[in-house]
């Protein structure tokens, strides 16, 4: 099935995350952000906001009962620099970092009832051990039956993520919302280059759009991005789309329109697939 995802829990603008039970059924993947490795030793800790979102197990059961399909939850590791998202290894070997990261991440997965983890070190991936550490952790996750994902920032960390072993990666949540593209032609050029940097190519590429207001730093707009998804990108066999972030999705007009319209496009529900109906909030 195609992915229509969102990120949740980073407290953007200080706003609390919505309850899982209030998310629309168009969203079938949720990234909980962000777990931190505070000391560079691979020991990740869960973010405090996650305790207020409700039970993942109850939400998955409700989602299955109402849709006949599953909603997947991933623990997102790292994030932007402000969240401690600069990848580094400090005071331990690469093998020990991988071991610590696997043990601590799977403990968080078990605690919250998630299905896997996403590598989201937007704050920096320049450490010389980045590839070895990511490949090692993703391999352990895959070998043990967990979903493994990465979240590159196109034009930033995407070049470093492009060297990772695609065999260990299920999806690639490519952040495309800082391209400053105001039209489909520009977005087509940028997206083509982003797919070239995606381990596994288009079949693992998830197109990232932004529901947070922010002018040029948050372009393309939802209408441009969704129109491109409908008119061109779907034909390339991409894995889906996602939004940053659920907290700002609530302020869109109408709420969650990125996921609702995106889901309609991805599932070819033509009557509901109108990109011009989605607008950012104030």
């Amino acid at each position: 099935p195609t992915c229509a995802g969102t990120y949740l829990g980073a407290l953007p603008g200080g706003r609390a995350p919505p309850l899982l039970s209030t998310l629309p059924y168009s969203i079938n993947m949720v990234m909980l952000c962000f777990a931190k490795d505070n000391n560079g030793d691979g020991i990740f800790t869960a973010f405090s906001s996650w305790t207020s979102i409700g039970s993942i197990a109850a939400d998955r059961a409700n989602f299955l009962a109402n849709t006949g399909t599953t909603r997947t939850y991933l623990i997102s590791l790292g994030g932007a620099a402000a969240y401690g998202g600069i990848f580094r290894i400090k005071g331990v070997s690469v093998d020990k970092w991988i071991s610590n990261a696997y043990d601590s991440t799977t403990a968080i997965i078990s605690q919250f009832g998630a299905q896997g983890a996403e590598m989201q070190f937007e704050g920096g991936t320049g450490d010389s051990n980045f590839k070895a550490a990511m490949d090692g952790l993703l391999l352990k996750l895959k070998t043990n039956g967990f979903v493994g994902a990465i979240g590159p920032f196109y034009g930033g960390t995407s070049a470093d993520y492009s060297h990772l072993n695609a065999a260990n990666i299920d999806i690639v949540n490519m952040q495309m919302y800082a391209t400053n593209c105001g039209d489909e032609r520009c977005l087509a050029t940028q997206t083509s280059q982003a797919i070239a940097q995606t381990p596994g190519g288009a079949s693992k590429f998830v197109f990232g759009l932004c529901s947070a207001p922010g002018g040029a730093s948050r372009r393309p707009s939802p209408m441009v991005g969704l129109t491109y998804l409908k008119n061109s990108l779907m034909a390339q066999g991409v894995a889906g789309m996602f939004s940053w972030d659920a907290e700002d999705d609530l302020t869109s007009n109408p709420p969650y329109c990125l996921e609702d319209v995106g889901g309609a496009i991805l599932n070819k529900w033509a009557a509901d697939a109108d990109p011009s109906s989605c607008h950012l909030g104030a």
Side-chain angles (χ1 to χ4, degrees), residues 21-83:
S21 59
T22 66
L23 297 178
Y25 293 130
S26 56
I27 296 173
N28 61 14
M29 181 168 288
V30 178
M31 278 63 68
L32 296 184
C33 44
F34 293 104
K36 295 184 181 181
D37 174 12
N38 291 305
N39 300 312
D41 55 8
I43 300 176
F44 286 87
T45 57
F47 198 42
S48 59
S49 71
W50 300 352
T51 59
S52 66
I53 60 178
S55 164
I56 287 179
D59 182 66
R60 278 173 57 83
N62 176 69
F63 190 88
L64 178 62
N66 282 276
T67 69
T69 59
T70 57
R71 176 178 279 166
T72 299
Y73 281 87
L74 303 180
I75 304 300
S76 188
L77 309 182
Y83 294 102

Side-chain angles (χ1 to χ4, degrees), residues 11-190:
L11 304 179
R15 295 187 302 281
L19 289 169
L20 304 180
S21 59
T22 66
L23 297 178
Y25 293 130
S26 56
I27 296 173
N28 61 14
M29 181 168 288
V30 178
M31 278 63 68
L32 296 184
C33 44
F34 293 104
K36 295 184 181 181
D37 174 12
N38 291 305
N39 300 312
D41 55 8
I43 300 176
F44 286 87
T45 57
F47 198 42
S48 59
S49 71
W50 300 352
T51 59
S52 66
I53 60 178
S55 164
I56 287 179
D59 182 66
R60 278 173 57 83
N62 176 69
F63 190 88
L64 178 62
N66 282 276
T67 69
T69 59
T70 57
R71 176 178 279 166
T72 299
Y73 281 87
L74 303 180
I75 304 300
S76 188
L77 309 182
Y83 294 102
I86 300 175
F87 174 79
R88 57 179 180 154
I89 293 181
K90 189 174 181 180
V92 296
S93 66
V94 175
D95 286 344
K96 182 61 175 174
W97 187 94
I98 294 169
S99 177
N100 286 346
Y102 176 78
D103 290 345
S104 61
T105 299
T106 53
I108 297 171
I109 289 171
S110 177
Q111 176 187 352
F112 287 91
Q115 287 67 56
E118 180 208 50
M119 313 297 116
Q120 208 350 318
F121 296 95
E122 183 185 335
T125 52
D127 188 292
S128 61
N129 294 309
F130 177 74
K131 174 175 167 54
M134 293 298 99
D135 281 344
L137 177 54
L138 287 162
L139 175 60
K140 291 196 73 165
L141 288 168
K142 187 173 186 64
T143 300
N144 288 280
F146 296 105
V147 177
I150 60 174
F153 170 44
Y154 174 66
T157 61
S158 57
D160 289 332
Y161 278 100
S162 70
H163 301 297
L164 301 186
N165 187 346
N168 302 325
I169 299 169
D170 295 302
I171 61 168
V172 179
N173 290 321
M174 185 70 77
Q175 302 172 45
M176 296 298 297
Y177 38 80
T179 60
N180 195 23
C181 282
D183 57 58
E184 291 181 69
R185 183 176 180 179
C186 169
L187 195 51
T189 299
Q190 299 296 309

